[in-house]
Amino acid sequence: MGQCVTKCKNPSSTLGSKNGERESGSKSHSKRSAVHKDDHGSACGKSSGDILVNGTKKTDAAVESSQPPMFSGDTKKDSVSSAEESSLQRIGELFRRYKDEREDAILEEGMERFCNDLCVDPTEFKVLVLAWKFQAATMCKFTRKEFFEGCRAINADSIDGICARFPSLLNEAKQEDKFKDLYRFTFQFGLDSEEGQRSLHREIAIALWKLVFTQNKPPILDQWLHFLIENPSGIKGISRDTWNMFLNFTQVIGPDLSNYSEDEAWPSLFDTFVEWEMERRKKEEETKCVTSSDTEGLCAGEQT
């Protein structure tokens, strides 16, 4: 996925058994009625008049006729099941369009075609959000399960359907709790699971930080990324703790860093960053002062 980020990672009815019980009961009742009629003849004429041909009493028949008819399946449920089945078939067709010839998954080449059909660039924030909703475990790869469950999660089964869902997905990602989930997902998404990575390569982390903060860029982000690019501490990777804590850092620490305290439980890399950034700002101010002084002196000389 290096290329994807840096360029693109029905219950059966029991009605039958109930009917069986009812039918066997009726047959035995009919037999008893016939014997009863033969034994008593006209003496039971009144009583036999209350018995129907099938051996059921008129009162019982009246009760049964007043009950609503029962069907083996609910029409509405059947139609919903049919719609779901059709949707699953469309998702399957969509998956087969992009899946790899040898592996039952959409890989880098198929992902690029998928993104092209969606009219998005593999490096776009939309693709990251889609991977988040699909709960993709690896960059530039959608397994069959991830693709099917993801499409069902966003209620889309076509290219047009997915495109139509993008606006609501982007709005969802702006919600604080949803963004936190997306942010934490992004770290895991960036790891190479096949290599058993536990930390992000510095370059991948930088690219993912730029990407995940597309809609809500914190003021300190540019300085933080500049620090990582300059890499004065010689770091090679970003741990999960550092990644997760940076979100807290952007929410708690002001842009001027004045409320940062080394005594608090921040990762040591943050201590190094704040020290480096404060020193950089100091030098920048000194340079401005020197430049300003030289300009003022030059202006004074020109005036004389």
Side-chain angles (χ1 to χ4, degrees):
M1 162 89 205
Q3 189 177 357
C4 281
V5 168
T6 60
K7 187 188 173 171
C8 207
K9 182 178 157 202
N10 230 349
S12 58
S13 175
T14 57
L15 183 61
S17 61
K18 287 184 179 179
N19 280 342
E21 292 174 0
R22 189 174 297 159
E23 288 170 3
S24 62
S26 297
K27 289 179 180 178
S28 62
H29 186 79
S30 178
K31 290 179 179 179
R32 288 196 301 269
S33 297
V35 173
H36 187 71
K37 184 175 182 180
D38 291 340
D39 290 345
H40 296 279
S42 60
C44 296
K46 184 177 180 181
S47 175
S48 62
D50 292 333
I51 304 298
L52 299 181
V53 175
N54 66 354
T56 305
K57 291 183 178 181
K58 287 183 178 180
T59 53
D60 293 341
V63 171
E64 289 186 3
S65 62
S66 66
Q67 295 177 347
M70 298 177 66
F71 301 96
S72 59
D74 188 288
T75 305
K76 185 176 181 180
K77 289 183 179 179
D78 287 345
S79 62
V80 171
S81 298
S82 177
E84 289 180 351
E85 184 66 27
S86 298
S87 180
L88 286 174
Q89 290 179 359
R90 288 191 292 271
I91 294 173
E93 293 171 358
L94 195 62
F95 178 78
R96 287 190 293 273
R97 187 187 305 175
Y98 306 106
K99 75 178 287 293
D100 187 71
E101 293 180 357
R102 299 182 179 179
E103 187 173 345
D104 194 31
I106 299 174
L107 303 183
E108 188 172 331
E109 182 181 344
M111 193 69 73
E112 289 184 358
R113 290 189 284 110
F114 181 50
C115 290
N116 286 336
D117 289 349
L118 289 172
C119 297
V120 296
D121 190 277
T123 63
E124 277 190 60
F125 180 65
K126 289 179 180 179
V127 179
L128 177 63
V129 172
L130 192 62
W132 167 55
K133 297 304 291 186
F134 282 23
Q135 286 297 292
T138 307
M139 288 183 179
C140 267
K141 180 178 180 179
F142 286 148
T143 65
R144 176 180 291 271
K145 180 180 179 182
E146 290 168 350
F147 192 83
F148 270 72
E149 293 184 356
C151 285
R152 296 183 70 182
I154 65 173
N155 194 27
D157 54 22
S158 65
I159 290 295
D160 290 342
I162 296 174
C163 288
R165 294 286 289 130
F166 275 138
S168 62
L169 294 178
L170 295 179
N171 284 331
E172 181 181 348
K174 292 179 181 179
Q175 301 173 23
E176 185 176 349
D177 58 331
K178 298 295 185 179
F179 178 76
K180 183 177 181 180
D181 187 65
L182 169 62
Y183 181 83
R184 297 199 169 194
F185 161 84
T186 303
F187 178 88
Q188 185 65 39
F189 184 59
L191 296 177
D192 190 331
S193 57
E194 294 180 358
E195 293 185 5
Q197 283 184 343
R198 293 189 176 184
S199 61
L200 290 174
H201 289 306
R202 183 169 55 94
E203 294 80 6
I204 295 297
I206 291 172
L208 289 176
W209 261 314
K210 289 180 180 179
L211 187 61
V212 76
F213 282 117
T214 296
Q215 294 192 135
N216 53 343
K217 181 180 176 181
I220 201 64
L221 181 63
D222 285 340
Q223 289 81 4
W224 169 251
L225 297 181
H226 181 52
F227 164 74
L228 293 177
I229 292 171
E230 292 294 322
N231 197 21
S233 58
I235 62 170
K236 295 182 179 181
I238 300 296
S239 67
R240 185 185 299 273
D241 182 59
T242 299
W243 176 274
N244 290 341
M245 290 297 287
F246 182 70
L247 180 59
N248 298 339
F249 183 90
T250 63
Q251 296 170 339
V252 174
I253 306 301
D256 61 358
L257 304 177
S258 60
N259 63 330
Y260 181 83
S261 174
E262 295 182 0
D263 297 332
E264 296 180 8
W266 295 109
S268 59
L269 184 61
F270 291 5
D271 297 340
T272 306
F273 162 65
V274 172
E275 183 180 350
W276 179 86
E277 176 61 17
M278 296 302 284
E279 184 65 24
R280 187 195 66 79
R281 294 181 184 184
K282 182 180 178 181
K283 290 180 179 180
E284 189 177 72
E285 283 298 320
E286 291 175 351
T287 302
K288 286 182 179 180
C289 289
V290 171
T291 303
S292 178
S293 298
D294 291 345
T295 302
E296 289 176 359
L298 180 61
C299 290
E302 289 176 351
Q303 289 176 357
T304 58

